[in-house]
Amino acid sequence: MRMLRWMCGNTRMDKIKNEDIREKVSVAPIDDKMRETRLRWFGHVQRRSLDAPIRRCEQLALVGTRRGRGKPRKYWGEVIRWDMARLQISEDMTLDRKLWRSSIKIVPPLSVYSQLNIREVFIAFLGFFMAASVEVTVP
């Protein structure tokens, strides 16, 4: 967030919300990007052959070990299942790489500047140059 604030010319003293800065710079939230990365790795693993070491490690089960007290830890498989449920996708989709990548891709929100059309941007620049009292000839 520090870099995004610096790009906008703001500091923490300005007390601008993180969501507002992310929207201004057109950056997706970090938890969405982490979910995308986890699911991208999951698709890579699923497309490997069953003989690959990563696939064999996936099926390992520790027998005879006791879990400690307190809240059980999250396992990678559980987090992947929650991510897939949230995006409403299934494991079968991993076999088609293009479909999988398009399903998990997080598109950042459009900023205010990217929603403007070319004419409005040109008029805004013209206004800037006129305010700076610079001669501008329009073709």
Side-chain angles (χ1 to χ4, degrees):
M1 276 312 297
R2 185 185 310 170
M3 189 67 183
L4 297 179
R5 285 182 189 279
W6 178 78
M7 287 170 51
C8 294
N10 298 325
T11 63
R12 289 195 41 132
M13 297 296 286
D14 297 332
K15 296 186 179 181
I16 298 174
K17 292 183 179 180
N18 292 345
E19 293 83 21
D20 296 338
I21 291 178
R22 276 194 210 100
E23 183 179 323
K24 186 175 180 182
V25 184
S26 298
V27 175
I30 189 69
D31 55 341
D32 291 344
K33 294 305 276 184
M34 288 174 63
R35 180 180 313 110
E36 178 186 354
T37 304
R38 278 192 304 261
L39 290 173
R40 190 172 45 210
W41 174 250
F42 176 71
H44 171 71
V45 170
Q46 290 299 107
R47 284 189 294 274
R48 297 289 306 259
S49 69
L50 293 174
D51 298 337
I54 189 74
R55 291 299 296 268
R56 284 186 273 151
C57 291
E58 185 181 39
Q59 298 169 356
L60 287 178
L62 298 175
V63 179
T65 59
R66 294 186 58 191
R67 294 179 72 152
R69 294 174 40 168
K71 182 180 176 182
R73 296 183 63 137
K74 290 183 199 174
Y75 291 106
W76 185 69
E78 294 173 13
V79 176
I80 292 295
R81 280 196 301 270
W82 291 335
D83 290 342
M84 289 192 325
R86 183 168 179 171
L87 294 179
Q88 299 175 349
I89 53 180
S90 65
E91 280 189 45
D92 300 336
M93 295 170 71
T94 59
L95 300 177
D96 183 7
R97 185 175 184 276
K98 286 187 179 184
L99 174 66
W100 181 253
R101 291 295 291 263
S102 66
S103 309
I104 66 172
K105 181 73 176 164
I106 303 297
V107 179
L110 293 176
S111 70
V112 175
Y113 299 109
S114 63
Q115 293 173 0
L116 299 174
N117 64 24
I118 301 296
R119 184 168 187 263
E120 291 173 343
V121 171
F122 182 70
I123 291 171
F125 279 125
L126 262 180
F128 171 75
F129 285 121
M130 295 299 205
S133 69
V134 175
E135 277 300 311
V136 176
T137 57
V138 180

